[in-house]
């Protein structure tokens, strides 16, 4: 079993996932828009752009991010939860951190800590919270 974060956006899901694919050198996300839903389903939903994302899946490394646009308008931006990624070295982690931070808000600058050669936290321009670090086994973590 592998938990997969499901991130909700407010009309810019496709843009965000395209940016994440570029930042992480990942293949493009698999995206299903509301225009692809059966008409009877579309008739029962609030009016939304046909290009609004109903469901998307982006593979990053060995993990996934699932996402959609919130056409119901009830989801607040992410709070109290972050997507954590650990990159193989400081240079790559710094590059990912800086790319995610562009037009976002840094909460903790990317820097060396007592647990990592590099770590920082931010909220990106799309409202997604991230924790970016450098891979390092913790003393109580099994090594894979």
């Amino acid at each position: 079993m592998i938990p997969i974060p499901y991130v909700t956006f407010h009309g810019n899901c496709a843009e965000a996932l395209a940016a994440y694919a570029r930042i992480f050198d990942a293949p493009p996300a698999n995206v299903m828009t509301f225009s692809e839903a059966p008409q009877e389903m579309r008739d029962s939903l609030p009016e939304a752009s046909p290009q609004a994302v109903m469901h998307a899946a982006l593979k990053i490394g060995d993990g996934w991010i699932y996402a959609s646009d919130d056409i119901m308008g009830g989801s607040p931006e992410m709070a109290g939860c972050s997507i954590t990624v650990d990159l193989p070295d400081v240079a790559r982690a710094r590059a990912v951190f800086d790319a995610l931070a562009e037009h976002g808000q840094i909460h903790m600058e990317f820097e060396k800590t007592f647990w990592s050669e590099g770590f920082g936290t931010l909220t990106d321009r799309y409202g997604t919270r991230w924790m970016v670090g450098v891979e390092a086994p913790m003393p109580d973590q099994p090594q894979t």
Side-chain angles (χ1 to χ4, degrees):
M1 175 177 13
I2 298 173
I4 299 172
Y6 202 107
V7 183
T8 305
F9 295 89
H10 298 276
N12 55 0
C13 181
E15 176 187 339
L17 294 182
Y20 300 158
R22 282 191 308 277
I23 290 167
F24 291 102
D25 296 322
N30 295 320
V31 177
M32 181 185 307
T33 64
F34 279 94
S35 66
E36 298 172 72
Q39 185 62 48
E40 56 274 7
M41 180 182 175
R42 291 193 315 251
D43 290 344
S44 68
L45 295 170
E47 188 162 332
S49 163
Q51 296 312 307
V53 175
M54 185 167 69
H55 177 72
L58 176 64
K59 184 165 181 52
I60 297 176
D62 293 332
W64 290 88
I65 295 176
Y66 288 173
S68 66
D69 283 312
D70 175 21
I71 64 164
M72 304 301 266
S75 296
E77 289 189 359
M78 254 175 101
C81 181
S82 298
I83 298 174
T84 301
V85 292
D86 289 326
L87 288 297
D89 57 63
V90 172
R92 181 71 177 121
R94 164 61 80 183
V96 165
F97 182 87
D98 289 346
L100 290 169
E102 190 174 324
H103 302 291
Q105 179 183 5
I106 294 172
H107 305 294
M108 179 182 169
E109 292 288 342
F110 185 88
E111 60 190 10
K112 184 175 180 166
T113 66
F114 69 90
W115 69 85
S116 177
E117 288 298 308
F119 179 82
T121 65
L122 62 100
T123 300
D124 71 19
R125 73 175 73 193
Y126 306 105
T128 304
R129 296 174 57 103
W130 293 90
M131 300 170 82
V132 179
V134 176
E135 290 176 358
M138 298 298 290
D140 60 346
Q141 277 186 317
Q143 295 192 21
T144 56

